[in-house]
Amino acid sequence: MPRHLPIWFDIDGTLLHTRAGLRAFQRALLDTYGWQDSFESVVFAGNTDLQVLMDLSRVHAGDEQAGYSERHRLFEKMALYLDEGLSENPPQAVAGASELLHRLGEEPQVLLGLITGNARSCAFIKLKHVDLDIHFSQGSFGDEHADRNQLATLAKQKLGDQGIDLAPGWILGDTPRDIEAAHHIGARCLGVTCNFSEEELRKAGADHVVDDLYPSDELMALLLGDVG
């Protein structure tokens, strides 16, 4: 019997583009902790919301754990501000994202999931605004662990706990951190050019790189190779 094939997606730069997240984080940070920050020193590409909070806690309170107890309130406020911001300035889906997800969703052995640095509520709000939320019900999120590698481990563990026999699978992402996370759990990585060039993604160890997500015959054969 063929094994199930997990295919996990990053969100920002992989499935969609938006700039609303930074402003939502700034507003929620000010409301929750009274910390005002320009975020000029914050690197979001490949990062997790929890790690960003820990970094800001170190800067504003001298202790990376200072904001931890109020993190749920922070992320709730972020989600509200994000929904508001995306209603005013809608995100843009990556070319081919909807088509690829529909094609993969028709494959009985494929398990679609998310491995994202976004807090869960923020992740689904972003996806909702480009009508991609319907494709996902599982994965791991940036409010569950600060380390993306551990998020990958957690996503795989959640499927394993259901007794599912898994092929190595794929992570689709746009940063070297996505590639590192894929290799951390023995998966392969499809790099999507956005914040990094094809050369940079290949140098970081991407198994294949694309500029868009249109489900060409070549791409589908590549992704589905383990469930033939």
Side-chain angles (χ1 to χ4, degrees):
M1 178 179 296
R3 295 179 293 174
H4 284 82
L5 177 70
I7 300 181
W8 293 285
F9 287 78
D10 172 53
I11 293 178
D12 296 283
T14 302
L15 288 173
L16 57 84
H17 302 294
T18 177
R19 295 186 178 276
L22 186 149
R23 180 59 179 152
F25 208 138
Q26 287 176 318
R27 293 177 67 186
L29 191 75
L30 183 61
D31 281 1
T32 307
Y33 305 105
W35 299 341
Q36 192 160 9
D37 198 287
S38 66
F39 282 46
E40 290 180 3
S41 62
V42 175
V43 177
F44 279 100
N47 214 341
T48 66
D49 283 349
L50 189 54
Q51 184 62 61
V52 171
L53 172 60
M54 291 168 67
D55 292 343
L56 292 169
S57 296
R58 190 183 303 111
V59 171
H60 290 276
D63 179 1
E64 68 176 16
Q65 297 296 320
Y68 195 76
S69 63
E70 293 294 314
R71 67 193 184 281
H72 297 303
R73 189 158 71 94
L74 170 74
F75 295 139
E76 286 174 4
K77 289 180 176 291
M78 274 180 61
L80 292 174
Y81 289 136
L82 183 62
D83 198 23
E84 177 185 307
L86 293 175
S87 295
E88 296 173 357
N89 296 291
Q92 214 173 18
V94 167
S98 179
E99 292 89 339
L100 177 61
L101 290 171
H102 275 102
R103 284 284 301 276
L104 291 174
E106 294 172 350
E107 299 292 334
Q109 269 70 52
V110 169
L111 301 172
L112 293 176
L114 297 166
I115 297 178
T116 173
N118 288 281
R120 183 184 180 96
S121 55
C122 295
F124 280 100
I125 283 172
K126 288 182 178 181
L127 292 170
K128 178 190 72 174
H129 278 270
V130 288
D131 297 321
L132 298 181
D133 55 315
I134 60 172
H135 299 285
F136 300 102
S137 62
Q138 60 189 354
S140 57
F141 303 87
D143 52 348
E144 294 182 281
H145 204 287
D147 187 324
R148 186 174 285 268
N149 287 357
Q150 295 308 311
L151 290 183
T153 297
L154 181 60
K156 185 176 182 179
Q157 180 182 327
K158 287 178 181 180
L159 293 178
D161 288 347
Q162 298 175 40
I164 299 172
D165 185 21
L166 299 175
W170 288 85
I171 290 178
L172 277 66
D174 68 304
T175 75
R177 287 182 175 176
D178 297 296
I179 298 166
E180 181 183 339
H183 295 167
H184 181 73
I185 60 169
R188 286 172 287 178
C189 186
L190 179 71
V192 183
T193 57
C194 176
N195 293 293
F196 295 85
S197 67
E198 177 178 352
E199 181 181 358
E200 289 171 319
L201 292 172
R202 289 191 182 278
K203 186 175 181 180
D207 296 275
H208 192 74
V209 178
V210 294
D211 296 323
D212 60 57
L213 293 180
Y214 287 112
S216 65
D217 291 343
E218 178 188 4
L219 180 57
M220 293 299 292
L222 177 71
L223 294 175
L224 301 176
D226 286 345
V227 292

